[in-house]
Amino acid sequence: MEELIRNRGFNRLIDIYTEGENMRNNQISLPELIKFFAEYRNNIIINIKHLQENYQRTGIKRLKGVRDEKGELLQPWLQTEYIDNAEYVGMGEFQFNRNTATINMLIKRKVKLTKSEDKTPTLEVAGLLVNDLNSFNNYTIVSDGKINIKSLQVKISSKKAFDWLKEKGVLDAENFDFHAEYTIQLDNLPLVASNSSYSNIDGLFNQLAEIKVLTSIISAYLKKESDVFIAPQLDEFKKHYLSKNTYINFPTTNEYTNIHEALVNGTLDSRLSYKIDIGSQDILNLSKFPSANKFLNRMYRLYDKETGEIIIKPNFEMVFNENLAVRHRLLSSRTKITKVDEFMKPIFDDFLGLDQNGIVIDILKKVGADILAQLFQEKQTGKQISKEEMVAALSAANIKLEKYVENIYQDKISPLVFYIGCTGLLPDEIKAKPMTAEEAAAKYPNLQFSKNEQEGTFFAVGNSIISIYVKTEYYSKLISVGIDN
């Protein structure tokens, strides 16, 4: 334990570990309570005003609007107003962060769009009623292994839920009263359970990386496409700050234009955030993968079939243009091919029809995106697929791909990340010695390290690499209402 805590800035975690050890006798851990909340979220409502009044933001506050050349804030011509304006809201949905020991609670509320100038409601956009939209606010329960929300004020409508909370010592009330407001203390619960067990992570990185590459391609193609609305409707949505999925999407900017000045005057502060990633012996983490359009520009050429003219700055929106063809780019001798390039190229080659190696269909079938897999197979045999049919299949497949990835993280990776970030330790079932970046690079020469990662600690676990490194994060010190991460 001492060896890991000494390594690369984990000194602050010893307090968290000791605190956790002292609370082992508690009947329930915070993650277990979160799981219970998820199961009974329809039977528990939260005092949102109490939450907002006592909430400390974990990042820099974002303001709606854009800044002009002078740095002045230009606010959107529309704004949102809560329809309910109630004291209580439904229990939010909980999510473990993918690479920090953080748990967020996403609260959804009904809103309407109104003009900022005179508050006139906007009821219809592009033939769609927009008088019943949703707004989403994240509240961070645990931030980097530390409790950020000490308690929740709630009402409970289920006696079964009340009895469970009482049995576990979370409530000190004697009798169930659906009129009463209860306080659920979160800051006296251990962050990890003493009997926790964690999944084997071997092979997960390659699965995630394959899907990341494919979803990047699909998202790039669908950027301006919809399987429901036509282009003029999408333009109308954009003017009214709505996404193609009809989510509210205001432009935002940082509250502070000068970080240094805000730090000096005390309105902004900084903290160390501990990032925990998994990778392979060749690629340290998923952040090493470029966007689909960037890789397309680096490794391929789009050209006009008739004239042979090369398309400058191609993108995936052009790929299915019948007048254009694609080929590999002739690389100069100075171009260095990395392991990321080698990983991405077979997927791109298969998707673009340059090498029918079957990898795209295999990925699609794995996640249950059978319709796109069938269309892709037909396209490879020369069958013409309409744009509308392809857009619908790509849209449906993208949802399945993202859901598959989310399940891997929530079930197998995020619990491990949370444990490491809260305790500063690897679980007992994982035996590995810590390495510095220099030691990891010497053993695995294909790995590439960012500036922050160069100061990190690394563990070889089977064929996987666990990375732990520190990054400075800034946050607004004033108590704020909601966050827009």
Side-chain angles (χ1 to χ4, degrees):
M1 179 181 97
E2 290 76 16
E3 183 180 15
L4 175 56
I5 290 175
R6 283 199 305 268
N7 253 283
R8 301 295 182 187
F10 260 67
N11 294 319
R12 71 98 182 173
L13 289 174
I14 191 168
D15 294 330
I16 296 173
Y17 176 77
T18 304
E19 182 181 284
E21 284 293 298
N22 292 337
M23 294 189 289
R24 295 286 170 149
N25 293 328
N26 280 26
Q27 289 180 289
I28 186 174
S29 67
L30 183 60
E32 289 171 312
L33 180 61
I34 296 296
K35 186 177 179 181
F36 171 83
F37 282 159
E39 183 179 351
Y40 282 90
R41 60 185 304 268
N42 294 325
N43 301 110
I44 302 173
I45 56 177
I46 296 174
N47 186 325
I48 187 64
K49 294 185 178 179
H50 172 269
L51 175 59
Q52 291 173 339
E53 289 168 0
N54 293 276
Y55 184 71
Q56 172 58 56
R57 192 179 295 274
T58 59
I60 298 177
K61 184 178 180 180
R62 303 283 296 177
L63 302 177
K64 293 175 182 176
V66 296
R67 296 191 183 276
D68 61 17
E69 294 178 354
K70 297 180 181 179
E72 297 295 323
L73 182 67
L74 303 177
Q75 295 185 343
W77 69 279
L78 290 176
Q79 63 183 12
T80 57
E81 290 184 11
Y82 291 118
I83 292 175
D84 53 38
N85 200 28
E87 186 176 358
Y88 292 88
V89 297
M91 175 67 72
E93 295 183 4
F94 296 89
Q95 189 171 48
F96 286 76
N97 191 275
R98 292 183 175 185
N99 75 336
T100 64
T102 297
I103 303 175
N104 289 317
M105 176 175 63
L106 184 68
I107 288 183
K108 179 173 69 172
R109 298 181 70 180
K110 293 292 183 183
V111 296
K112 59 183 178 181
L113 285 174
T114 63
K115 290 183 180 179
S116 301
E117 188 177 58
D118 57 11
K119 295 191 177 182
T120 303
T122 298
L123 303 177
E124 175 266 330
V125 176
L128 187 74
L129 289 176
V130 292
N131 58 342
D132 191 25
L133 299 171
N134 292 315
S135 74
F136 298 89
N137 285 100
N138 255 324
Y139 294 86
T140 301
I141 303 288
V142 179
S143 175
D144 276 298
K146 292 183 177 180
I147 288 288
N148 189 57
I149 295 177
K150 294 183 179 181
S151 66
L152 293 173
Q153 300 286 112
V154 304
K155 286 186 176 181
I156 304 169
S157 63
S158 164
K159 187 175 185 302
K160 184 177 180 182
F162 173 87
D163 289 343
W164 188 91
L165 291 168
K166 181 182 175 182
E167 177 191 343
K168 298 299 181 181
V170 178
L171 292 178
D172 56 6
E174 287 299 320
N175 300 312
F176 172 62
D177 181 356
F178 53 83
H179 293 297
E181 182 175 271
Y182 300 102
T183 299
I184 296 181
Q185 288 295 139
L186 305 179
D187 57 352
N188 61 359
L189 299 175
L191 292 176
V192 295
S194 58
N195 60 348
S196 300
S197 60
Y198 301 92
S199 302
N200 187 340
I201 62 172
D202 258 359
L204 293 182
F205 177 76
N206 278 0
Q207 286 187 57
L208 294 172
E210 285 180 347
I211 294 175
K212 179 180 175 64
V213 174
L214 186 53
T215 53
S216 180
I217 292 172
I218 293 174
S219 296
Y221 177 73
L222 292 175
K223 185 175 182 180
K224 296 181 180 179
E225 301 290 345
S226 169
D227 61 338
V228 179
F229 305 107
I230 62 174
Q233 287 178 295
L234 297 180
D235 291 339
E236 199 68 19
F237 286 163
K238 188 174 181 180
K239 291 176 185 176
H240 289 79
Y241 311 109
L242 297 173
S243 72
K244 64 183 179 181
N245 296 317
T246 65
Y247 291 127
I248 297 167
N249 189 25
F250 286 111
T252 61
T253 184
N254 278 347
E255 179 180 21
Y256 306 106
T257 56
N258 189 316
I259 298 295
H260 177 72
E261 184 180 300
L263 287 169
V264 171
N265 66 31
T267 56
L268 196 68
D269 207 345
S270 65
R271 60 184 174 84
L272 295 180
S273 177
Y274 292 79
K275 311 297 181 183
I276 301 139
D277 283 319
I278 70 162
S280 70
Q281 295 175 0
D282 290 323
I283 304 171
L284 198 57
N285 54 57
L286 293 176
S287 72
K288 306 303 178 185
F289 290 87
S291 69
N293 284 331
K294 188 173 181 180
F295 191 74
L296 183 71
N297 272 280
R298 171 175 161 81
M299 302 294 286
Y300 300 90
R301 281 288 187 233
L302 263 66
Y303 62 93
D304 189 289
K305 289 180 181 179
E306 293 185 4
T307 66
E309 179 185 358
I310 299 295
I311 304 300
I312 305 300
K313 293 186 178 180
N315 58 62
F316 266 94
E317 295 170 47
M318 306 175 182
V319 165
F320 292 116
N321 188 322
E322 293 182 2
N323 299 321
L324 300 179
V326 63
R327 64 168 172 80
H328 290 115
R329 183 173 181 172
L330 299 176
L331 301 176
S332 71
S333 58
R334 292 179 298 176
T335 302
K336 182 181 179 182
I337 301 300
T338 67
K339 288 295 181 181
V340 171
D341 294 329
E342 292 177 3
F343 189 97
M344 295 179 72
K345 186 175 178 295
I347 301 173
F348 271 66
D349 283 355
D350 193 18
F351 190 91
L352 295 170
L354 297 174
D355 178 17
Q356 296 180 14
N357 53 46
I359 189 170
V360 170
I361 291 176
D362 287 345
I363 296 170
L364 293 173
K365 288 184 175 179
K366 182 188 297 182
V367 304
D370 297 329
I371 295 175
L372 182 58
Q374 181 63 35
L375 286 184
F376 198 77
Q377 214 159 18
E378 292 174 357
K379 191 173 185 296
Q380 288 181 336
T381 61
K383 182 179 177 180
Q384 292 296 315
I385 308 296
S386 71
K387 181 179 179 179
E388 291 75 14
E389 193 175 10
M390 183 59 75
V391 167
L394 287 167
S395 300
N398 218 24
I399 294 172
K400 289 181 179 291
L401 287 162
E402 290 173 354
K403 181 64 176 175
Y404 190 89
V405 166
E406 183 62 17
N407 287 340
I408 289 178
Y409 273 105
Q410 296 303 312
D411 294 343
K412 298 180 179 180
I413 296 177
S414 293
L416 175 63
V417 167
F418 191 77
Y419 179 91
I420 295 172
C422 287
T423 66
L425 303 169
L426 297 182
D428 291 339
E429 56 263 44
I430 298 179
K431 309 296 182 183
K433 293 183 178 181
M435 296 179 287
T436 64
E438 294 80 5
E439 291 168 337
K443 191 170 183 179
Y444 308 106
N446 292 317
L447 294 178
Q448 296 179 329
F449 301 85
S450 69
K451 182 179 179 181
N452 288 322
E453 290 162 355
Q454 288 172 7
E455 301 300 319
T457 302
F458 306 88
F459 300 87
V461 181
N463 294 321
S464 302
I465 300 289
I466 296 177
S467 311
I468 305 171
Y469 58 96
V470 178
K471 187 177 179 181
T472 300
E473 303 281 3
Y474 298 98
Y475 63 94
S476 301
K477 287 180 68 176
L478 298 177
I479 291 177
S480 307
V481 178
I483 60 174
D484 301 303
N485 285 345

